[in-house]
Amino acid sequence: MAKLLEGKVAIVTGASRGIGRAVSVALAQEAATVVLAARSIEELQNTADMVSQAGGKSKIIITELTEERSIKNLVEVTGEKYGRLNILVNNAGVTHSAKLEETLTEDWEHCLRVNARAPFILCREALPLLKQTQAAHIINIASVVGVKGYPLQSAYTASKHALRGMTISLAEELRGSNVRVHVLCPGGVDTDMVDRVRPDIAKDELIKPEEIAELVLYLVTHRGNAVLDELRIRRATSAPWF
Ligand SMILES: NC(=O)c1ccc[n+]([C@@H]2O[C@H](COP(=O)([O-])OP(=O)(O)OC[C@H]3O[C@@H](n4cnc5c(N)ncnc54)[C@H](OP(=O)(O)O)[C@@H]3O)[C@@H](O)[C@H]2O)c1
């Protein structure tokens, strides 16, 4: 039976571990070709091996998301190699934990640069390719803090509000076009990131990266008249309706 993403090309940022790795593998299970973007070559190679075991193809493009030139290179190389792009997953992200009064301007700027500025540049650069396809998707991974705020996370929270806001605006701009734009807002997911910032949450209560990946796969394989703009995903043990 033909796989659902046969012939489709996806870019996944932050593909070297965590949610990005799980998303890359999930897309590969439906035979997508996945362009794996991050900085850690060894970890990217591990993801590439997992993609190939899952039945997909991949290409690693080392990308430094704080640098506009590097982001443009990611799209240019993808375009040159495949001539198309169907799916863009803006997943890479960084956190910073500190009281606002102890947050350095550099820490604030770094969060905004990776979490909001890079997805903006990627969307802008990728749209000409995405628009050439019949049915394209942009999926931006924000966070519960794209909707609400937690103490000690002002820089991270600001960056995720920015990403979510940009997504809403872009979805309006692309309304009626072939490109659908979605934002995911997860609570705690079992990755290195949550180990660093929320060690207080019991590991067995965390959302699995594969669960987020399943939702991404759902979004890019269901192309009916119904559209899911935003998914808020919470841990089963946390309060409903964040
Ligand atoms: N874990 C959670 O609880 C949680 C909850 C809600 C939302 N999220 C969001 O989900 C996304 C993925 O998070 P995760 O938990 O999987 O995090 P993670 O395990 O820390 O992975 C972060 C990824 O981002 C990449 N990255 C970071 N800075 C980069 C840079 N300057 N240039 C290129 N790549 C960079 C990293 O790759 P390299 O280091 O190899 O470059 C890595 O692949 C993030 O946007 C995060 O904010 C996570």
Side-chain angles (χ1 to χ4, degrees):
M1 207 169 71
K3 301 267 186 161
L4 294 172
L5 298 176
E6 192 93 54
K8 302 276 167 78
V9 177
I11 290 178
V12 179
T13 67
S16 58
R17 54 178 190 266
I19 296 171
R21 171 176 283 168
V23 167
S24 303
V25 171
L27 297 176
Q29 279 159 357
E30 288 300 337
T33 296
V34 192
V35 177
L36 308 170
R39 297 163 301 177
S40 317
I41 179 65
E42 279 180 24
E43 289 306 314
L44 283 168
Q45 192 52 58
N46 287 338
T47 305
D49 293 344
M50 293 164 83
V51 162
S52 127
Q53 279 158 22
K57 295 191 188 71
S58 67
K59 173 164 181 61
I60 292 172
I61 303 182
I62 301 290
T63 307
E64 170 50 80
L65 289 169
T66 60
E67 290 174 13
E68 182 158 5
R69 185 60 252 149
S70 186
I71 301 170
K72 286 183 170 172
N73 177 67
L74 171 60
V75 178
E76 281 162 15
V77 174
T78 302
E80 281 159 18
K81 182 157 176 65
Y82 301 109
R84 65 192 183 285
L85 178 66
N86 307 86
I87 299 162
L88 168 63
V89 184
N90 280 304
N91 162 77
V94 290
T95 47
H96 183 73
S97 299
K99 284 183 178 175
L100 185 141
E101 63 206 276
E102 291 164 7
T103 297
L104 302 177
T105 309
E106 295 75 34
D107 296 329
W108 176 278
E109 284 174 347
H110 186 64
C111 265
L112 268 290
R113 218 173 164 89
V114 176
N115 298 352
R117 178 182 182 265
F120 148 65
I121 297 171
L122 252 176
C123 287
R124 188 189 64 203
E125 298 301 314
L127 271 168
L129 274 177
L130 291 166
K131 281 182 171 174
Q132 287 169 28
T133 65
Q134 262 195 330
H137 295 266
I138 295 174
I139 296 181
N140 294 333
I141 310 290
S143 162
V144 54
V145 305
V147 177
K148 59 191 274 195
Y150 287 135
L152 308 178
Q153 295 190 13
S154 58
Y156 183 57
T157 302
S159 71
K160 293 298 188 178
H161 270 70
L163 176 61
R164 178 167 168 266
M166 182 195 78
T167 311
I168 297 168
S169 189
L170 182 60
E172 271 291 354
E173 284 180 28
L174 295 174
R175 186 172 166 173
S177 81
N178 65 321
V179 188
R180 292 186 176 174
V181 189
H182 319 268
V183 66
L184 265 59
C185 300
V189 183
D190 187 6
T191 68
D192 294 354
M193 178 181 278
V194 90
D195 286 348
R196 284 194 304 277
V197 291
R198 293 296 307 273
D200 55 303
I201 306 177
K203 232 175 159 39
D204 61 358
E205 290 185 9
L206 290 166
I207 299 161
K208 298 288 163 224
E210 293 74 20
E211 294 181 274
I212 303 298
E214 276 176 36
L215 297 172
V216 171
L217 191 59
Y218 183 90
L219 290 176
V220 300
T221 53
H222 286 73
R223 190 78 189 195
N225 288 338
V227 183
L228 289 162
D229 293 321
E230 173 167 301
L231 297 182
R232 297 186 186 186
I233 309 137
R234 67 175 175 85
R235 287 179 292 119
T237 50
S238 66
W241 273 275
F242 64 76

